[in-house]
Amino acid sequence: MALIIDGKKIAAGIREELKTEVAALKAHLGDVPALAVVLVGDNPASATYVRMKGKGCEEAGIRSIQHTLPGSATQEELLALVDRLNGDPAVSGILVQLPLPGQIRESAVLNRINPVKDVDGFHPVNVGKMVAGDEDCFFPCTPYGCQILINSVVKDLKGRHVVVVGRSNIVGKPIANLMVQKNRSANCIVTICHTAAPDIGYYTRQADILVVAAGKAGMITGDMVKEGAVVIDVGANRVPDPADPSKTMQVGDVNFDEVAPRASAITPVPGGVGPMTIAMLLKNTVKAFRLQRGL
Ligand code: GUN
């Protein structure tokens, strides 16, 4: 049976370290990092994420600023808010919660955020720097968290084969880029596969480390995983709860019961990758504060 990778515990450790770091910044500079989170509309899942991000900030001593625009807000209104936050020296990091309503072009908004405040790591400048292997940029929070989870169980990653299922800009593409870099936390052989593959299992069975970010509940079955693989499940799908069909429950993209007995280590859902995302957002916010001050 696999080691269950406790993302909640690892994330809590990072958040404790950040709390200490922020307290030291406050003692030395009399100032703390601040994160502005922008929510457009009233998507319940987005509202929950935004609330959790605010709470995470407060616990770490980071100042949290929330802006909520109505679902009918125009692109111009949102861009005007981003401009204001870009120009506010008290704001270290800006996060616009996705998805955005249909009348707003996401890329127009993400591209408008000042790259030194782009704690989501979605701005093309940060994407480019990450691909180039630069350190003075922001890595997208979920893939960054996945990398830390992988490093927690595999000490020598050199030459290991990472197979990523999914090619989103938020997870699939960035985790592949992080794991291919020539550094001690990566240096892997990387394959990305996606819906165009006639047989996903052909690829996943070759993985020493399998990262699944496809958004399809339970799609990775036991026969698709090599014995001893490390499995990172980024899926966060809501499905009817078999115990009470009037309720929903969260499940990953990996069929845990089938895959766990074959894997050497696996992340649970919930409690695996999920908690890491906010921890890395807080880490990026502290990094933004330091970069802006040349610290
Ligand atoms: N929606 C789902 N994941 C994310 C994320 O990492 N950042 C933002 N801004 N929105 C999201």
Side-chain angles (χ1 to χ4, degrees):
M1 185 67 181
L3 167 79
I4 310 294
I5 303 172
D6 190 345
K8 210 169 156 185
K9 187 169 161 193
I10 295 171
I14 293 169
R15 287 165 67 155
E16 271 309 311
E17 282 173 20
L18 289 170
K19 190 172 174 175
T20 307
E21 188 178 348
V22 171
L25 288 169
K26 189 172 183 179
H28 288 112
L29 304 170
D31 199 6
V32 295
L35 175 66
V37 178
V38 179
L39 175 64
V40 184
D42 52 10
N43 177 321
S46 291
T48 302
Y49 287 133
V50 165
R51 215 171 25 250
M52 285 164 63
K53 286 166 185 175
K55 192 160 163 272
C57 282
E58 279 164 29
E59 281 173 17
I62 295 169
R63 203 156 63 83
S64 161
I65 307 155
Q66 197 190 314
H67 290 270
T68 306
L69 297 182
S72 59
T74 64
Q75 182 167 306
E76 287 64 36
E77 284 166 336
L78 180 54
L79 291 177
L81 174 57
V82 169
D83 287 344
R84 195 147 58 78
L85 297 170
N86 280 340
D88 183 344
V91 171
S92 320
I94 303 169
L95 180 146
V96 178
Q97 186 65 31
L98 304 177
L100 291 169
Q103 74 275 16
I104 300 176
R105 201 157 45 89
E106 273 177 12
S107 63
V109 177
L110 299 179
N111 295 0
R112 189 74 155 244
I113 296 171
N114 184 340
V116 297
K117 296 191 176 188
D118 170 38
V119 288
D120 250 335
F122 295 159
H123 189 285
V125 165
N126 285 313
V127 175
K129 286 186 172 191
M130 175 191 65
V131 172
D134 285 2
E135 296 284 325
D136 70 331
C137 64
F138 302 105
F139 302 146
C141 303
T142 300
Y144 191 12
C146 290
Q147 184 177 28
I148 289 183
L149 295 181
I150 294 167
N151 275 273
S152 78
V153 289
V154 188
K155 292 306 163 200
D156 186 10
L157 280 161
K158 183 180 177 185
R160 299 295 190 100
H161 189 191
V162 174
V163 176
V164 179
V165 183
R167 54 173 150 182
S168 70
N169 290 332
I170 292 183
V171 185
K173 285 181 202 163
I175 187 67
N177 275 289
L178 289 173
M179 297 314 296
V180 82
Q181 296 297 332
K182 192 168 183 176
N183 62 48
R184 287 166 53 128
S185 307
N187 211 5
C188 295
I189 312 305
V190 177
T191 300
I192 306 180
C193 60
H194 45 75
T195 44
D199 177 11
I200 293 268
Y202 169 79
Y203 298 97
T204 59
R205 276 187 289 275
Q206 298 175 46
D208 299 316
I209 297 146
L210 178 61
V211 181
V212 191
K216 211 167 146 194
M219 71 167 280
I220 302 296
T221 48
D223 60 304
M224 294 169 78
V225 178
K226 180 166 78 176
E227 196 77 42
V230 171
V231 179
I232 307 292
D233 187 353
V234 188
N237 310 287
R238 293 225 74 95
V239 298
D241 184 347
D244 179 356
S246 71
K247 294 204 175 104
T248 63
M249 61 185 286
Q250 197 181 54
V251 298
D253 292 350
V254 174
N255 182 325
F256 187 90
D257 293 342
E258 283 186 27
V259 172
R262 298 179 63 82
S264 64
I266 186 167
T267 59
V269 177
V273 173
M276 294 299 287
T277 300
I278 291 185
M280 304 329 288
L281 172 66
L282 304 176
K283 196 170 174 66
N284 278 348
T285 303
V286 174
K287 186 176 187 180
F289 178 88
R290 287 186 174 282
L291 284 175
Q292 287 155 32
R293 283 164 178 72
L295 299 172

